Amino acid sequence: MSFSSDVKKEMLSVENKPCCSFAQSYGFLLFGRSFSLRGVSLMTDYEPIALAYEGAVRALGGEKVRLIRSEAGRYTVSLPAGSGCRRVLSRLGYDGSEHRVRLNYGNLRDECCRAAFIRGVFLACGSVTDPEKEYHLEFSISSKNLAMDFMKLFDAYNQLDAAQTFTLQPRLSTRGGVYVVYFKDSTSIEDFLTMTGAPNGALRVMNAKVFKNIKNNVNRRTNFEMANLDRSVNAAAQQVDAIEKILRHHALSSLPDDAAALALLRLREREMSLRELGEAMRPPMSRTAVNYRLKKILELAGQLPDE
């Protein structure tokens, strides 16, 4: 199964209080495929979601709800137009005459109910990407009004959270005529999954983030060391060229004895670091002393005429 399916499976296992069960069903139905007197329905690829939606509709008075599985394995759960739709809508505070369906905050009495409602919305129209690939959690919503109402619900939730346990600030975009409410940062996704009853999913996001951070740190260190190695190799090549030029001009005696000895050592040991060169000298030299003398060697070579 996908990471998103695993998260939804975990959410479906949450044991709700009666008030929260009602709120979750409300989010489930309101953000499904359709929610009107013409029909109440949902489409999903995940059978447990279809069965949960069917149960939610029945619990709200939709006795003639139908569940159909297509040859492609897609499930459609629907309550056709009729008295069943009117009962379901009425239980949720609607009479079917609404020109634009808006969120009925009266169905969300307590903070726990808000979390259950948001969980229901995610079950109906949400998805989350595998955190090993990227951080992205979204809701695909057909109505702009519902999308805006849904985003305001997070503002209210944040204000009620005096301890600032969670800070959830979703963004809004459009895609093919659908309004997409989404989170792109790992912390918000972790908080969302924890709040909505999917702590194992949140833990997987955290673990993926830790692994990515370790991998990025290793890559940065490797790149840093490779860059240093490249600089050292280039510097050593320049030093060797300078020493060979000095030797061709028989100018090694122009250098102090310790610098001349260092020049010959560098010519023999082209891969040694400055520290290693210093340790190999007799008497030993500090890295700073080696670097100073190599600069003098380069300066001398620069003063000699090119062949």
Side-chain angles (χ1 to χ4, degrees), residues 220-274:
R220 280 194 293 269
R221 184 166 183 82
T222 300
N223 292 337
F224 176 77
E225 291 176 350
M226 288 301 296
N228 280 343
L229 180 60
D230 288 343
R231 285 193 292 271
S232 297
V233 169
N234 292 335
Q238 291 177 352
Q239 294 157 9
V240 169
D241 288 344
I243 294 165
E244 289 177 341
K245 183 178 181 181
I246 290 171
L247 291 175
R248 287 194 299 271
H249 283 81
H250 307 287
L252 189 64
S253 59
S254 300
L255 293 169
D257 291 346
D258 56 357
L262 178 62
L264 295 175
L265 177 61
R266 166 53 89 198
L267 200 60
R268 294 194 308 270
E269 304 292 348
R270 304 187 179 195
E271 296 182 358
M272 276 189 174
S273 66
L274 299 186

Side-chain angles (χ1 to χ4, degrees), residues 40-304:
V40 174
S41 66
L42 176 80
M43 292 185 67
T44 179
D45 294 323
Y46 189 39
E47 184 179 17
I49 293 287
L51 294 173
Y53 184 87
E54 179 187 25
V57 174
R58 290 187 185 280
L60 291 170
E63 298 174 356
K64 296 183 180 180
V65 61
R66 297 178 296 189
L67 193 161
I68 300 173
R69 183 179 184 274
S70 70
E71 293 182 358
R74 191 163 180 78
Y75 297 88
T76 301
V77 188
S78 60
L79 181 66
S83 59
C85 286
R86 189 175 297 279
R87 281 196 302 272
V88 169
L89 266 64
S90 178
R91 287 284 305 277
L92 297 173
Y94 301 88
D95 60 18
S97 65
E98 295 84 6
H99 180 60
R100 293 185 178 87
V101 176
R102 305 297 296 266
L103 199 159
N104 181 359
Y105 292 94
N107 289 330
L108 312 177
R109 294 178 295 175
D110 301 315
E111 186 175 343
C112 61
C113 295
R114 294 182 180 89
F117 172 80
I118 293 171
R119 180 167 56 248
V121 177
F122 183 81
L123 292 172
C125 65
S127 64
V128 59
T129 304
D130 186 337
E132 294 183 6
K133 298 177 180 177
E134 65 172 328
Y135 303 125
H136 186 84
L137 185 150
E138 71 174 38
F139 304 83
S140 298
I141 303 171
S142 59
S143 163
K144 181 179 181 180
N145 291 319
L146 276 181
M148 298 303 294
D149 288 349
F150 187 53
M151 292 183 71
K152 290 178 182 176
L153 185 64
F154 284 100
D155 291 337
Y157 199 95
N158 291 333
Q159 291 169 9
L160 286 168
D161 184 15
Q164 289 296 298
T165 308
F166 304 116
T167 302
L168 298 168
Q169 298 177 330
R171 301 177 183 179
L172 178 67
S173 66
T174 58
R175 183 195 305 140
V178 175
Y179 296 89
V180 180
V181 176
Y182 66 96
F183 298 100
K184 288 289 288 185
D185 64 287
S186 61
T187 300
S188 291
I189 294 172
E190 292 166 16
D191 287 348
F192 176 89
L193 296 178
T194 301
M195 177 191 75
T196 52
N200 291 331
L203 185 60
R204 285 177 61 179
V205 176
M206 295 176 196
N207 289 339
K209 182 165 63 174
V210 169
F211 177 78
K212 287 180 181 180
N213 287 338
I214 293 173
K215 183 178 179 181
N216 289 338
N217 288 335
V218 169
N219 287 340
R220 280 194 293 269
R221 184 166 183 82
T222 300
N223 292 337
F224 176 77
E225 291 176 350
M226 288 301 296
N228 280 343
L229 180 60
D230 288 343
R231 285 193 292 271
S232 297
V233 169
N234 292 335
Q238 291 177 352
Q239 294 157 9
V240 169
D241 288 344
I243 294 165
E244 289 177 341
K245 183 178 181 181
I246 290 171
L247 291 175
R248 287 194 299 271
H249 283 81
H250 307 287
L252 189 64
S253 59
S254 300
L255 293 169
D257 291 346
D258 56 357
L262 178 62
L264 295 175
L265 177 61
R266 166 53 89 198
L267 200 60
R268 294 194 308 270
E269 304 292 348
R270 304 187 179 195
E271 296 182 358
M272 276 189 174
S273 66
L274 299 186
R275 179 183 58 79
E276 291 169 335
L277 286 171
E279 291 173 351
M281 290 292 291
R282 292 293 177 270
M285 289 183 184
S286 67
R287 184 183 183 281
T288 301
V290 170
N291 189 50
Y292 173 77
R293 285 161 177 77
L294 288 172
K295 286 183 178 179
K296 290 299 181 182
I297 292 171
L298 292 172
E299 289 175 4
L300 174 59
Q303 295 168 4
L304 299 174

